[in-house]
Amino acid sequence: MGIVKVAVNVRPLSDEEVKIGTHSFTFDHVYGNKASSPISIYGDCVAPLVDALFDGYNTAVLAHGQTGSGKTYTMGTNYTGDGSTGGIIPQVMNSIFSKIEEKKEAKEFLIRVSFVEIFREEVIDLLDPNSGKGKRTVAKVAAKKPIPIRELEEGVFTVPDAAAVEVRTKQQMASFLSQGSLKRATGSTNMNSQCSRSHAIFTISMEQRRSTRIPGDGILSAKLQFVDLAGSGSMNKSGADGEGIPINKGILVLEQVISALVVNKKRKEGGHVPYHNSKLTQLLKDSLDGNSKTVMIACVRPADSYITETLNTLTCAYLARNIQNKAIVGTVNQSHELECLRKALTLEKNRSMDKSAELESLKKALTLSEEHIARERKCSMDKSAEIEQLKIKISVAEGEIRELHQNDKALQKENRLLKDELLHMKSNASPSAGSKGAYSTSWNAHRSLEQPTTLPHVDDDSDDAMGMDETVERHENTARKKAKTRKRKRLLYNVWKPDEFELLEV
């Protein structure tokens, strides 16, 4: 059993700040202001963790506090390699490679490093060679493809897709730290014009074994994590909190996890701890409630203007001091490792089967869509052909109607001529009333034109009578033509709607 050790580092006052009021907390170490020098943080808190790393224990250092309180400076995750040795991580690098140099005759070491950040609940690999160079703004990070967190077994979380780069020298390790630091998400807040807006986790993994093989010898495997948490309680210029989203979810869930662990300890029971509620707490589970020796460094600002954020940070750190971990020596157990790999493989197979079923479902949906589109296209083509046929019929009908219209005009003209001729003949004949074959003076020439009428037979063989017979014959022919025309118009009228064409009356 090991208790999480907590140190507080009070950042010096700036010219614009004043001292905070009187509040009392108990911690393992206090640095800054009138307390011990911050230079002592490494020797008091971190050097024992480096020794534990070489003994095969997992270790972790967490820096917590509001924006501008000196977390990144204290941790050294802003290392650029320009001769700067300040911060915890550069001192750890010096110590690790010094110890390796001392032990190289007796042991072989394999050192790997990884560097990830958690930004808006997405894990980004800062050592990904395809992620570009230089500082990234919030907008640029949002466009970066995240990598997934896998749960190998109950409560065991890992990021298998994060680059784990082998390093052989302090310079190589420093180079990767510098590369990742330059890629961290930055943004502006009311407290800091260029602050880190993400949680950064720099991990040093170590495997070691005897140079001279002894039967039964195993491989010691351990890791040292440096967690530079995003600023808690920081307000950006848009009025949002934490990471620029409503509240820094990772910090909020971290405080909930710490509170739950303390409550469970007091009640001596294993109550629910909400690790799954954020990506940050999933990756910190070992450091907070598992196989790790952990130190939390609470960074605060002593000014009265930041009293609320400072008290929140100190309260969280005070609770963390009551957490107990169960650190054990880590060995590479091949059978256990194979079992973990089998479980991981089974999980991947299940995911692959789910993806295959999803893909098959999408293929079926695509086939149905293609068939539907083909049917719609065929229907559209049939409709187009039908429309073309209708256009042809309409064109033919319009031509026939124009022809009928012209014929009607010709018949009307001929009828007018016949009418004039009959009236002229009637006025010239002037038969006496009641004589045989005489035409009635009430005979209506217009009526004779409206319907076919057979005129009375005239026995008189005079030239006038013969002329009259020819006139009647022409009149009857005209009436028959007109009747035929009306019949054709009625047929067309039955085929086409009356409102689609203008039918011309004769």
Side-chain angles (χ1 to χ4, degrees):
M1 284 285 191
I3 296 176
V4 172
K5 294 187 179 299
V6 178
V8 174
N9 186 25
V10 182
R11 200 207 73 179
L13 287 170
S14 66
D15 294 337
E16 297 82 14
E17 296 174 337
V18 294
K19 185 178 179 181
I20 198 170
T22 57
H23 291 275
S24 178
F25 295 93
T26 301
F27 298 104
D28 298 289
H29 303 279
V30 178
Y31 303 96
N33 206 8
K34 295 181 180 181
S36 302
S37 170
I39 299 176
S40 304
I41 294 178
Y42 176 78
D44 295 340
C45 302
V46 184
L49 298 183
V50 176
D51 293 337
L53 174 68
F54 277 86
D55 291 336
Y57 291 97
N58 290 335
T59 55
V61 182
L62 283 70
H64 178 41
Q66 73 179 106
T67 294
S69 61
K71 299 184 304 301
T72 300
Y73 176 81
T74 301
M75 292 290 282
T77 45
N78 61 343
Y79 180 82
T80 59
D82 300 330
S84 58
T85 57
I88 292 171
I89 298 178
Q91 295 181 72
V92 168
M93 291 190 296
N94 288 332
S95 179
I96 286 177
F97 285 98
S98 294
K99 288 179 178 293
I100 290 176
E101 184 66 23
E102 295 172 1
K103 300 173 183 289
K104 67 179 182 180
E105 297 297 330
K107 291 186 177 182
E108 296 177 352
F109 293 90
L110 175 62
I111 308 295
R112 295 187 180 94
V113 295
S114 63
F115 202 177
V116 300
E117 70 174 346
I118 303 174
F119 178 74
R120 293 181 177 174
E121 283 302 292
E122 299 289 358
V123 181
I124 308 297
D125 186 1
L126 295 177
L127 298 186
D128 181 359
N130 299 319
S131 61
K133 298 181 179 180
K135 283 285 184 183
R136 294 178 297 160
T137 62
V138 169
K140 289 182 179 179
V141 176
K144 181 74 174 65
K145 183 179 179 181
I147 56 178
I149 293 178
R150 304 292 189 198
E151 187 172 9
L152 297 181
E153 54 187 82
E154 183 65 30
V156 179
F157 300 95
T158 184
V159 188
D161 296 336
V165 187
E166 181 181 353
V167 294
R168 297 179 180 272
T169 66
K170 179 184 68 175
Q171 290 73 21
Q172 287 181 334
M173 183 181 289
S175 174
F176 287 115
L177 174 62
S178 176
Q179 290 177 32
S181 298
L182 291 174
K183 293 179 183 178
R184 285 191 66 184
T186 61
S188 175
T189 70
N190 291 339
M191 300 178 185
N192 195 337
S193 62
Q194 194 71 11
C195 68
S196 298
R197 306 300 299 278
S198 63
H199 311 295
I201 303 176
F202 183 73
T203 304
I204 302 174
S205 301
M206 175 185 291
E207 291 183 9
Q208 54 181 312
R209 63 184 177 185
R210 295 179 188 270
S211 299
T212 304
R213 306 289 189 272
I214 297 177
D217 261 5
I219 299 176
L220 287 182
S221 176
K223 64 182 178 181
L224 172 53
Q225 283 190 320
F226 299 94
V227 184
D228 181 7
L229 298 173
S232 62
S234 60
M235 298 296 291
N236 66 14
K237 293 179 180 179
S238 64
D241 188 74
E243 294 174 337
I245 50 180
I247 293 180
N248 187 325
K249 182 179 178 181
I251 295 295
L252 178 64
V253 177
L254 175 61
E255 293 173 350
Q256 293 172 351
V257 165
I258 291 174
S259 298
L261 290 172
V262 173
V263 169
N264 291 345
K265 177 189 173 184
K266 290 181 178 179
R267 293 179 179 176
K268 296 182 179 180
E269 60 182 27
H272 172 69
V273 181
Y275 289 110
H276 289 81
N277 290 0
S278 83
K279 302 290 179 63
L280 175 66
T281 50
Q282 288 176 17
L283 295 183
L284 294 185
K285 184 180 185 304
D286 268 352
S287 302
L288 296 173
D289 181 31
N291 177 22
S292 178
K293 293 177 179 288
T294 302
V295 170
M296 175 181 282
I297 302 175
C299 299
V300 298
R301 308 177 76 167
D304 282 335
S305 55
Y306 306 119
I307 186 171
T308 300
E309 291 83 359
T310 297
L311 289 176
N312 287 341
T313 299
L314 294 177
T315 300
C316 179
Y318 180 75
L319 290 174
R321 190 169 179 264
N322 294 284
I323 297 174
Q324 289 187 338
N325 281 346
K326 301 174 284 293
I328 59 175
V329 174
T331 59
V332 178
N333 186 322
Q334 292 186 351
S335 60
H336 175 70
E337 186 176 355
L338 287 174
E339 183 62 26
C340 289
L341 289 174
R342 287 193 190 97
K343 290 182 179 180
L345 181 60
T346 301
L347 288 174
E348 289 299 327
K349 284 182 177 179
N350 291 337
R351 293 190 185 99
S352 178
M353 290 175 64
D354 292 341
K355 290 293 183 182
S356 297
E358 182 180 355
L359 180 61
E360 191 63 29
S361 176
L362 289 174
K363 285 182 177 179
K364 290 181 179 179
L366 178 62
T367 301
L368 291 175
S369 297
E370 289 176 343
E371 291 175 353
H372 177 71
I373 292 172
R375 288 194 299 269
E376 290 294 326
R377 185 179 291 116
K378 184 178 182 301
C379 181
S380 176
M381 292 175 63
D382 293 341
K383 291 291 185 182
S384 298
E386 184 178 347
I387 290 172
E388 290 299 323
Q389 292 294 328
L390 288 174
K391 286 181 178 179
I392 294 173
K393 290 182 178 180
I394 290 172
S395 178
V396 172
E398 287 177 341
E400 292 181 353
I401 290 174
R402 284 193 296 271
E403 183 180 356
L404 289 174
H405 182 58
Q406 293 173 356
N407 291 338
D408 283 346
K409 285 184 177 180
L411 289 174
Q412 288 178 3
K413 181 177 180 181
E414 186 176 356
N415 284 342
R416 283 195 298 271
L417 293 174
L418 288 173
K419 182 178 179 181
D420 293 342
E421 185 177 354
L422 289 173
L423 291 175
H424 178 69
M425 292 175 63
K426 178 180 177 183
S427 60
N428 290 337
S430 300
S432 60
S435 63
K436 184 180 180 181
Y439 296 103
S440 170
T441 57
S442 63
W443 179 65
N444 190 319
H446 177 69
R447 182 166 174 244
S448 68
L449 296 176
E450 291 297 330
Q451 56 187 3
T453 304
T454 302
L455 297 177
H457 176 70
V458 180
D459 292 331
D460 191 353
D461 292 332
S462 64
D463 292 338
D464 290 341
M466 291 178 65
M468 183 63 71
D469 289 338
E470 292 175 357
T471 300
V472 171
E473 184 177 356
R474 285 197 305 272
H475 175 72
E476 288 178 346
N477 290 335
T478 299
R480 281 193 295 271
K481 288 181 180 180
K482 191 171 183 180
K484 184 177 180 181
T485 299
R486 286 200 180 98
K487 182 177 180 181
R488 292 180 67 185
K489 288 172 65 175
R490 281 197 299 271
L491 289 174
L492 286 174
Y493 184 83
N494 290 334
V495 173
W496 307 105
K497 295 180 180 179
D499 56 354
E500 291 181 355
F501 305 100
E502 181 183 0
L503 298 177
L504 303 175
E505 295 294 339
V506 179

